[in-house]
Every structure is written in structure tokens, then in C-alpha cells.
Amino acid sequence: MKQEKQKSLATKISLWIVLFAGLIFISALGVFFNESRLAVQKEAIDHADQVLDNTVQRVDNIMDEVKVATDNTDWLITRHLNGPDSMFVYSRRILQNNPNLNGCSISFEPHYFESKGMYFSAYSFNDNGNIITTQEGNDHYQYFYMDWYQMPKLLDRPCWTEPFMDVNPDDITSPEMIISYCKPIKDDNGQFIGTISVDLSLSWLSNTIEQVKPYPNSYSIMIGKGGTFYVHPDTTKLFYQTIFTQTLLEPDTAITSLGHSMQAGEEGVREINVHGVDCYVFYKPLTDTGCSVGLVCPVSEVFSGYYRLINTVIGTFIVGLLLMLMVFSSIISKQLEPLEELAYQAEEIASGHFDDELQESGHNDEIGRLNNSFRNMQQSIVRQMEELKQTNEQKGRIEGELKIASDIQMSMLPKIFPPFPERDDIDVFGQLTPAKEVGGDLFDFFIRDEKLFFCIGDVSGKGVPASLYMVVTKALFRNISAHESSPGRIITSLNNVMAQDNDSNMFVTMFVGVLDLPTGRLHYCNAGHDAPLLIGNIGAGFLPVDSNLPVGAMPEWDFKQQETLIDPDTSILLYTDGLTEAENISHDQFGMDRITDLAHRLQKERTFIPTAIIGAMTEAVHVFVGEADQSDDLTMLAIQYTKHHQDITFQRTLTLINDLKRVPRLNTFIDEVCEAVGFDMATTMQINLAIEEAVVNVMNYAYPAGTKGDITIEAKSNGTEVMFVISDTGTPFDPTAKAEVDITLSAEDRSIGGLGIHLIRQIMDHINYERSDGHNVLTLTKQINK
Amino acid sequence: MEVKINTQDSVTTAQLIGRLDTPASQEISGDFDNLMQYAAGTVILDCTELEYISSSGLRLFLSLRKAAASKGGKVIVKAINKDIRSVFMMTGFLNLFEIQD
């Protein structure tokens, strides 16, 4: 794949270069070829023309020789007309002087010489070098009728005959085509007396012409006045065909035109197709004879050198281009090798092998720079990947830890609902929806000594810092309220701890309530939190609260506690600002109005069940918020209080003064009560112990030493349980607020005190303290197990 | 409430008779102060006839136990009835004292 890509790139570039080079060469060669063709053509025409000129010149020269020889003999003849036999000498001498001549006759009019009779013609001919001289003319060969004799006589001037067959029947030589120069012989009176005729062998002439061969397949032709072929390589055409014969079968205007031009004695050159071969025909007339000589040269041969040149050049050109292609391809491939290596490395990296070491390029060119840039990029990627990996690991770890933290945080909240299934006087439901993994909201509740301790809080900020603060707050709330029943003091203690060393200046808005379940009395303290809603039979509205300060804001702040009486069947709804400030996508807040509207609706519908209240509120918020993200923790806690309707079946009261000596009286009273409600002896003894501890406690601590005071013990029963209500008017004292003794400690470590309240808790089922109307009211309850 | 103290060699036996309620504890606190003197040895609190014990009574027991612990002696509680045993259990005293039947 890489190989192919890389190859194709090298090939592509090479091809483009070669293509361009080819185009340039072709253009140059085109011009070159065209020019050289013209030059070659001109050269060929000139050459052929010259050759033809030379030929015609040679023929003319021969003919001139003939003429000269004839003219030189002419005057001798007229001078020696008196000696006819000398004619033989002259005839012979001409041949002797001109070996090229075939024959010579000096012929006279019939009966010119009386002595010679009717016929006298001195004829010499060249028989292969031997000159033979005879007297010609007889009854079978009446020469004076022959053309060569008649023509000069009729024309009255020297002339060339048309070629003709020398057909003297007496001639011992083989007949042959000859052409004769004939000249009239005149006597002194200018009277025609005979003809001197010099023969030239046509074959010799045609040999001379045919010898002209400028190209291997070129040939010469000669036609007579009538267009008859006298010279032609195809001897069958000789004398029997004319130049026009062929056009009778296949009309060819070019040939016809050429024939006419040659007949007219013109000279020139024509391009003619002869039997399928393109030829140049150069033609020129032969002087005096009326013949025309043509030189036929096949175009291919005229241009053969040119074509060879073209072929060589084109061959060289193609070979050169191929070589160029190979060389360029090879060079580019070689140059691209680092790029190929780089591409391979890049693919390796792309397939995830980031760690592959990339070689540093030694090249200083663009590819080298690319290689080095890529190498830097790869190293950078490896570094970034490593960092990303670490970051992801870290993030994963943090997320994991956050999840654990979230689990821990959520597990710290009450999560079993209903929390007090055995009780019919109280129902609680709480719900916390954090905006992030961990949040800063909290709620908590528990029952201690017939009091419901509950709180809701919202730590400033969100996320981990808030969650840490939340955990501390909740732990402290539990810790402090384990032995402190006053919400004011609980919050004050909390505040003192939290405000100390509060370098991060975090704080918690908080509401802490302590609901006395037997009486419905609610003590509460608000630390900068939203006022809870009360929804009950008589209506719905906010609990009036002092805002105080948020917890942690300022140390040593004295938080004011408030109290109210909760009507039976009333529900208390506590919430954080995640409810009031829940935002929809338009950033409108859910707001207090919607909350109170909903509260009124719930009140009208008599919906007081905690899960129903919170469910309705949650749904309303969700509908309002819609698609918007939850911006803050949303926490709600609903408490429904339903007072016991006690059906007292037994009631007895004892009042004692604060004197320990009255304890036996107390024991007697307890024994009587226990017997009346049906406790067994062992339980009776234990109840005795518990009540004695409680009463002695009051005797010892409620009133200042030396002052008298009353202690009232009211015992009442509804058949299922017995309540002992111990009340006094002494100084406020909450025995339930004492820390539990640790009974597992060794004797040395154990304190002497605290045993009494411990025994009370052990023995009785419920213990409840209330400071009410200037009275300390301690209620101890014991179930009757029948 | 009556306490009978009988010392033989290093073993001091205190017989507790009656109800050890809060007033009774005050009543017999002097006797327990006496018993402290023997805390270096073995003090047996014989509860055979002890009917009832309040937290003040338990405090007396614990004070004696602490004294014995500091002096290297020991306190044996003998023959407590079922009810008192349950009180001992509730308060963890079963672990603090050597109990004899």
C-alpha cells in the first residue's frame, strides 16, 4: 500500500516531467521535421533536376557530336560529288571518328550518279567495333522512301527522326531501334540531291539515360512527340504504348496533364501516383528531337534519408524519454525514501504504536525537516498521551474516591423509612438530592428519651469542601445532642466547635428542633436557615424563627432558642435553599410563593403524610425546573406529629418532700402501683430502683441545700404501659442530658457517679425530660408485658 | 439495714442484711469506711440476706472496690440474689467484682 502510493508519486512526477519534456521535444521536432522535409524536398528536387539536366546535357552533347560530325562531313560530300565512291570513305570516317554512332549513310536521289544506277547509298555501320561499309538500296529497299530520307528533303533542313526500327532486309546486322540525324545534301545550286543520315542506337541512348539513377528504384523514361515510350524499364511498353495508354483504363488527370506538358516540350516536376507508388516525375525535353525525358523517383526514396533521420530521431527521442522516465523515477523514488519511511512510521503511530522511536533524519531538505517536525510531534504526542493517561488515572481515582465519599456521605443520612414503624405518634421522611457527587446539605433525626431530635443544614459552598464540613456538622450534632436536649445549647456548642480555627470561613445554616413527643412541645433553634413550614389541621404557614447567625460564622454567639406547641396531626416541613432557589432554564427561581401555594393546597387536601408532602414538593420542583441542571443540593425533611390519645385506666399520685428518709414511702407507693398494674416481683424491684434513683436525684439536686421542696410522682397506666411522671419546681435540671457511663471500664477508671441515670435507662422503656411551666418534668415509661 | 463485720486473718466478711436503698446507704456508709481498712486483704460482702440495692449502695461497693484495687486487696461479692444480679448485670458490676455463690 505504502509502496504503491510512494511508487505512484514518483511515477506521477516522472510522468509529468517526461510528458512536458516530450511535448517540448515534439514541438521542436515538429518544426525541425517540417523544415527538414522542405529542405530535403528542395534538395531532392534540385538534385533530380540536376541529374536530369546532366543527362539531357549528355544526350545533347552526343547529339551535338552527331551534328558536328555530320556538318564536318557535309562539305566534303558536296565537294566530291564527282567521285561517288568517296562517299564510302566519308561514311566510314564518320564512324571511325565517332565510335558512339551506330551507322551512317550518305544516300542520293535515284539515278543521281549515272554510273551507280537507281540506288546509291554509302552506308557504314558499327558491328561491335568493326566498321562495315556497304552500298545500300535496291528494289527491295528503296531507301529514298524512308522517313529519314524524306524528312530533311521535305523539311529542307536537318532534323532528327523519330526512333524507328532499322529494318533493312539486306542488313546483316540484327535490327535495332535507332534514331537518326538527317541532313539534306544540296549541290551548288542548292538543289536537293540526297541525305546524309547518322544513326544513333536508341538502346545506347536509353542506356545513357537509364544509367541516370539518383535513387535505387528511380528510373527514366523518354517519350516521343506522340507520347510513345522510347525509354522505359518495362520494355513491353516500348513503342507500343504511350504515356496516355494507362489513362484509357484508369483516367488519371495528373498523368494526362504530365503527358501533355511533356509533349509540349515543357520542363518541370510533378508528383504522380504511379501504380500505387507516389513518385516525383522530373521531366525535360531533349533538344531538337521533340522527345521528352522523365525521371521517376519514388517519394519514399527521395525522402528515405529524411525518413531514416526521422526514425532515428524519434527512436532516440523515445529511448531518451524512457531513460528519462526511469532515471527520474529512480531519483525521485530515492529522494522519497525518507518520506516512505516517515509514512510507514506515521501509520505505525496512527495504529496506536506511539512509542515507536522515529529516526532523526540526516537530510536537510524539506523531507528531512518534515521528518524532524513529525518526530517532534510524535514525541510531543507521547508526552501528551502520558500526561493524559496520568490525568485520566487521576481523574478516575478521584471519581472513584468521590463515589466512595458520596456513598459514605449518603450512608450517614437516615435512610430507613419509615424510621419508627413501632410508633404511632411520629413519622418522618427525609430526602437529599446532591447536585454534585458530594454535597453540603444534611439532615438527621433520632429519638432519645421520648424526644425527636432533628436538624437540617446547608453548608456554604458545594462539593468536597462543603461535604467535609457537612460530615463534621452532622457528627457533632449527633455527638452533642446525645447528652444535650436543648436546641439552643446544641447549636451554641456546635458553633463554638465549628467557629474555632475556621480558616476557610465556611458556615452552615441550620435548624435544630427537639420535639417532646409526649407533650408535643417543640424547642427549636434556627441558625440562619429558612423557616420551616407547618402544615396542619388549622392551616399552613411558616414557623416564626429568629434568624440568629449561621453556625461557624462567629464563635461564642449565644443562639436564642424558641419554643412552640405542635398541634397533633401537624407536619413540619424543613428544606434547604435547593428548594426555594431551584432554577429553570430561564433562571427563574422556584421561590417561596410556589412553596406556600403548594403547602396550602396540601393543607386543603389534608395531606400530612411526610412522604406525600415531599413527593408533591419534589414533583412540583421537577416540573418547574424542567430540563435545567440541578444547581444546588435539594434536601427536604418532613415530620408528622400525632399525639397519643391516652386512655388512662389507672392513676395514682404521691407527693414527697425532698428528704431521703421519705424513700421507703416511695418504695411502698411503687410496690402498690406495680401490684395494681400486674408487674411481677423482679420487675417491681427494678421499677423501684429506677424511680428511687430518679426521685433521689431530684431530692439531692433540684433544690438548694437546706431548702424544702416537693416532689410529685404521678403514676398512670393505659393498660399497656405505665408512666411515672416525676415533677418538681426546683432549678432546671435535665438528668437525661448526662453522658452515659461506660460500664465496660475497669474499677479504677470508672467514676462513682452516673450509675443512677444509667439504671433508669436500663430498666425503663422510655425516659423523657421536659422543663415546662417552671417544672422539671421527668417521665419514665415501662411497658406492661402481659 | 444492718451490717455485720467479721474479720478472720486477712479475710474480712461483711454480712449485709435488709434493703440497701438510698437512706440505708447513708446509714451504713460508716461501716464501709471501716471496711476500707481491710481493703488490702480480702473483703467478702455476704449478700445472702441483701434484698435490694440502689445506686447509692452500688456506689459504696464501687468505692470499696477502688480502695481494694489501690491497696492490692480484693472484694468478693457473695450470694447475690437474682434481682440484684440483674442490677449488677445492668451496671457492669458483674465484671468488676468476684462473685461467689
Side-chain angles (χ1 to χ4, degrees):
Chain A
M1 189 73 180
K2 303 179 286 288
Q3 196 79 11
E4 280 171 24
K5 270 184 188 168
Q6 195 262 324
K7 274 259 167 63
S8 78
L9 180 59
T11 310
K12 256 189 219 163
I13 295 174
S14 314
L15 275 176
W16 276 110
I17 293 172
V18 168
L19 188 66
F20 270 103
L23 279 174
I24 291 165
F25 281 141
I26 284 168
S27 311
L29 285 177
V31 173
F32 166 71
F33 284 152
N34 197 39
E35 291 298 317
S36 42
R37 187 185 163 88
L38 291 175
V40 167
Q41 190 179 28
K42 188 171 182 300
E43 171 64 26
I45 288 169
D46 288 352
H47 175 58
D49 218 28
Q50 188 118 33
V51 168
L52 191 61
D53 271 350
N54 288 344
T55 307
V56 170
Q57 193 64 51
R58 278 177 67 187
V59 171
D60 279 350
N61 286 345
I62 292 167
M63 286 178 163
D64 279 349
E65 278 175 35
V66 172
K67 278 176 171 177
V68 169
T70 307
D71 291 345
N72 287 344
T73 310
D74 188 25
W75 67 274
L76 284 171
I77 293 169
T78 38
R79 176 105 25 115
H80 295 94
L81 283 172
N82 49 356
D85 289 332
S86 60
M87 297 306 157
F88 293 106
V89 178
Y90 301 140
S91 155
R92 190 178 182 85
R93 192 179 295 164
I94 287 177
L95 290 193
Q96 279 169 341
N97 293 338
N98 299 283
N100 289 332
L101 299 179
N102 210 40
C104 175
S105 72
I106 303 168
S107 310
F108 293 90
E109 290 277 285
H111 303 290
Y112 183 70
F113 296 109
E114 296 292 338
S115 58
K116 298 297 179 183
M118 189 175 179
Y119 310 100
F120 183 76
S121 171
Y123 176 58
S124 296
F125 66 92
N126 192 335
D127 182 17
N128 295 321
N130 297 321
I131 298 167
I132 297 164
T133 307
T134 59
Q135 206 284 127
E136 267 192 326
N138 48 44
D139 292 341
H140 303 293
Y141 179 54
Q142 293 183 323
Y143 58 84
F144 35 81
Y145 294 123
M146 301 306 285
D147 281 351
W148 56 269
Y149 188 85
Q150 287 290 332
M151 273 171 70
K153 182 182 176 183
L154 294 174
L155 293 173
D156 192 28
R157 61 173 171 84
C159 65
W160 285 90
T161 63
E162 287 273 292
F164 65 96
M165 187 72 78
D166 187 7
V167 286
N168 184 352
D170 302 328
D171 204 335
I172 53 168
T173 58
S174 56
E176 105 179 273
M177 290 299 288
I178 54 170
I179 183 168
S180 302
Y181 180 71
C182 319
K183 190 175 179 182
I185 305 169
K186 295 181 178 174
D187 60 14
D188 295 337
N189 303 322
Q191 187 70 39
F192 176 81
I193 55 172
T195 299
I196 176 167
S197 160
V198 179
D199 302 336
L200 205 52
S201 164
L202 193 64
S203 64
W204 177 85
L205 194 62
S206 56
N207 278 344
T208 304
I209 292 171
E210 277 173 358
Q211 273 167 15
V212 178
K213 240 178 162 24
Y215 303 105
N217 287 314
S218 65
Y219 60 89
S220 305
I221 57 167
M222 190 173 84
I223 58 169
K225 281 180 186 141
T228 313
F229 284 116
Y230 293 133
V231 176
H232 196 284
D234 182 359
T235 50
T236 60
K237 293 187 174 182
L238 292 175
F239 314 113
Y240 301 106
Q241 287 192 13
T242 68
I243 193 166
F244 306 108
T245 308
Q246 190 192 338
T247 63
L248 297 175
L249 294 170
E250 302 163 28
D252 188 329
T253 51
I255 291 178
T256 306
S257 165
L258 171 69
H260 287 151
S261 183
M262 287 175 83
Q263 276 181 313
E266 292 165 0
E267 66 171 279
V269 58
R270 305 248 173 150
E271 194 170 346
I272 303 283
N273 185 290
V274 182
H275 302 304
V277 181
D278 283 327
C279 299
Y280 284 118
V281 179
F282 304 91
Y283 59 95
K284 202 166 188 161
L286 269 180
T287 345
D288 301 338
T289 62
C291 291
S292 186
V293 178
L295 181 59
V296 182
C297 304
V299 173
S300 60
E301 290 192 1
V302 170
F303 288 106
S304 67
Y306 168 74
Y307 288 137
R308 239 188 347 270
L309 176 70
I310 285 184
N311 287 341
T312 310
V313 169
I314 288 177
T316 312
F317 170 69
I318 288 170
V319 169
L321 283 184
L322 286 176
L323 273 175
M324 203 167 152
L325 184 65
M326 278 164 61
V327 168
F328 272 120
S329 185
S330 160
I331 289 174
I332 293 169
S333 286
K334 181 83 184 158
Q335 289 297 313
L336 289 183
E337 256 171 27
L339 198 61
E340 184 193 357
E341 180 62 22
L342 184 62
Y344 173 73
Q345 297 279 4
E347 277 190 21
E348 281 293 296
I349 288 167
S351 64
H353 301 104
F354 293 100
D355 296 339
D356 284 4
E357 189 63 32
L358 202 63
Q359 293 302 317
E360 185 164 4
S361 172
H363 296 264
N364 221 0
D365 55 11
E366 289 84 347
I367 293 176
R369 287 213 302 280
L370 176 63
N371 188 82
N372 290 340
S373 304
F374 191 78
R375 187 164 170 266
N376 292 339
M377 189 185 82
Q378 181 232 16
Q379 287 169 352
S380 179
I381 286 174
V382 168
R383 266 200 312 280
Q384 298 279 344
M385 290 285 291
E386 193 54 40
E387 280 171 21
L388 192 64
K389 206 168 120 194
Q390 282 176 2
T391 309
N392 277 343
E393 278 170 5
Q394 236 164 26
K395 189 163 171 273
R397 206 176 58 240
I398 289 170
E399 276 171 0
E401 286 170 358
L402 269 180
K403 177 74 177 64
I404 295 169
S406 173
D407 290 349
I408 291 172
Q409 200 185 20
M410 295 309 281
S411 71
M412 293 176 81
L413 299 171
K415 55 188 173 297
I416 297 167
F417 297 103
F420 313 114
E422 78 283 0
R423 299 194 69 114
D424 58 1
D425 55 347
I426 193 78
D427 189 15
V428 184
F429 182 68
Q431 172 177 291
L432 189 155
T433 316
K436 295 186 174 181
E437 282 85 352
V438 289
D441 275 13
L442 69 138
F443 71 87
D444 196 13
F445 59 85
F446 64 94
I447 292 176
R448 173 169 70 77
D449 301 337
E450 288 303 287
K451 290 181 196 304
L452 177 75
F453 290 75
F454 60 91
C455 74
I456 190 163
D458 182 1
V459 180
S460 58
K462 287 171 212 163
V464 174
S467 76
L468 290 173
Y469 220 67
M470 168 266 181
V471 168
V472 171
T473 307
K474 174 158 183 313
L476 279 172
F477 168 73
R478 272 284 170 129
N479 205 357
I480 295 167
S481 55
H483 54 83
E484 177 58 76
S485 302
S486 151
R489 285 200 293 277
I490 289 171
I491 285 199
T492 303
S493 301
L494 246 172
N495 180 54
N496 287 340
V497 176
M498 306 280 282
Q500 249 175 13
D501 306 324
N502 184 8
D503 293 336
S504 51
N505 290 318
M506 297 196 72
F507 58 84
V508 197
T509 66
M510 207 172 177
F511 182 95
V512 173
V514 178
L515 177 65
D516 187 64
L517 296 175
T519 59
R521 185 161 295 278
L522 173 68
H523 291 281
Y524 60 93
C525 181
N526 185 44
H529 202 80
D530 290 320
L533 266 174
L534 293 179
I535 306 170
N537 279 323
I538 54 166
F542 290 102
L543 182 69
V545 291
D546 289 340
S547 61
N548 289 308
L549 277 182
V551 172
M554 186 182 286
E556 306 303 328
W557 179 268
D558 188 16
F559 286 86
K560 294 284 181 292
Q561 173 176 313
Q562 295 167 274
E563 69 170 85
T564 188
L565 198 63
I566 300 296
D567 292 320
D569 297 329
T570 298
S571 286
I572 309 167
L573 175 66
L574 301 109
Y575 51 87
T576 57
D577 57 9
L579 177 67
T580 53
E581 293 169 9
E583 286 183 352
N584 61 14
I585 39 175
S586 330
H587 297 292
D588 299 325
Q589 295 194 343
F590 190 59
M592 211 56 97
D593 291 343
R594 288 189 180 79
I595 296 171
T596 46
D597 288 351
L598 182 59
H600 282 115
R601 206 190 78 209
L602 292 170
Q603 194 273 331
K604 283 198 187 76
E605 293 167 358
R606 291 288 186 270
T607 304
F608 304 134
I609 299 165
T611 49
I613 291 173
I614 290 181
M617 205 57 87
T618 305
E619 194 192 333
V621 170
H622 281 167
V623 168
F624 174 77
V625 166
E627 297 295 311
D629 286 337
Q630 186 186 345
S631 55
D632 199 358
D633 299 346
L634 171 59
T635 306
M636 285 181 273
L637 177 65
I639 297 158
Q640 184 186 23
Y641 173 61
T642 319
K643 198 176 179 177
H644 282 309
H645 292 286
Q646 291 181 341
D647 201 3
I648 301 302
T649 53
F650 171 88
Q651 188 168 17
R652 193 169 289 184
T653 307
L654 172 69
T655 303
L656 297 172
I657 57 162
N658 58 339
D659 184 354
L660 290 178
K661 292 199 173 59
R662 310 306 289 179
V663 170
R665 175 70 196 93
L666 175 68
N667 291 138
T668 310
F669 174 75
I670 301 297
D671 285 346
E672 286 166 5
V673 171
C674 288
E675 194 182 350
V677 299
F679 283 124
D680 61 16
M681 288 300 290
T683 311
T684 302
M685 195 216 83
Q686 288 185 350
I687 293 172
N688 247 312
L689 185 54
I691 307 298
E692 182 190 326
E693 295 296 341
V695 171
V696 166
N697 224 0
V698 175
M699 287 175 171
N700 284 343
Y701 305 114
Y703 299 102
T707 55
K708 294 281 182 194
D710 283 341
I711 302 158
T712 306
I713 303 106
E714 183 192 18
K716 49 189 178 185
S717 172
N718 58 3
T720 59
E721 59 184 17
V722 184
M723 292 169 73
F724 296 92
V725 183
I726 301 159
S727 54
D728 63 78
T729 56
T731 51
F733 176 75
D734 181 2
T736 63
K738 274 197 145 178
E740 269 288 281
V741 292
D742 187 350
I743 62 167
T744 63
L745 291 175
S746 66
E748 292 86 341
D749 295 330
R750 282 189 65 161
S751 78
I752 295 295
L755 277 173
I757 187 69
H758 175 70
L759 279 170
I760 294 169
R761 290 187 189 284
Q762 290 289 312
I763 291 164
M764 305 307 282
D765 292 316
H766 298 304
I767 176 169
N768 173 256
Y769 167 82
E770 265 299 285
R771 177 74 186 180
S772 173
D773 300 332
H775 286 75
N776 291 311
V777 182
L778 185 69
T779 308
L780 306 177
T781 310
K782 182 75 178 174
Q783 302 284 331
I784 301 167
N785 301 312
K786 292 264 164 86
Chain B
M1 181 67 201
E2 191 181 351
V3 182
K4 290 181 179 169
I5 298 172
N6 183 14
T7 304
Q8 215 170 25
D9 299 329
S10 62
V11 178
T12 307
T13 306
Q15 250 189 302
L16 307 175
I17 302 159
R19 288 174 64 91
L20 186 52
D21 56 16
T22 309
S25 302
Q26 283 188 328
E27 205 177 294
I28 66 163
S29 62
D31 295 319
F32 268 77
D33 289 343
N34 287 338
L35 279 175
M36 300 285 186
Q37 298 167 12
Y38 308 106
T42 302
V43 176
I44 300 173
L45 298 172
D46 186 351
C47 301
T48 313
E49 294 176 65
L50 183 68
E51 297 165 16
Y52 174 87
I53 188 164
S54 72
S55 69
S56 26
L58 292 171
R59 275 198 287 275
L60 291 177
F61 276 39
L62 184 58
S63 304
L64 182 62
R65 175 69 181 78
K66 278 175 173 280
S70 64
K71 291 179 179 172
K74 65 174 181 180
V75 179
I76 298 171
V77 177
K78 190 182 170 188
I80 47 171
N81 68 21
K82 194 159 61 66
D83 298 335
I84 296 172
R85 176 178 281 269
S86 74
V87 173
F88 265 54
M89 197 154 5
M90 284 188 275
T91 53
F93 273 38
L94 279 182
N95 301 321
L96 293 180
F97 293 92
E98 191 178 318
I99 310 291
Q100 277 187 1
D101 289 331

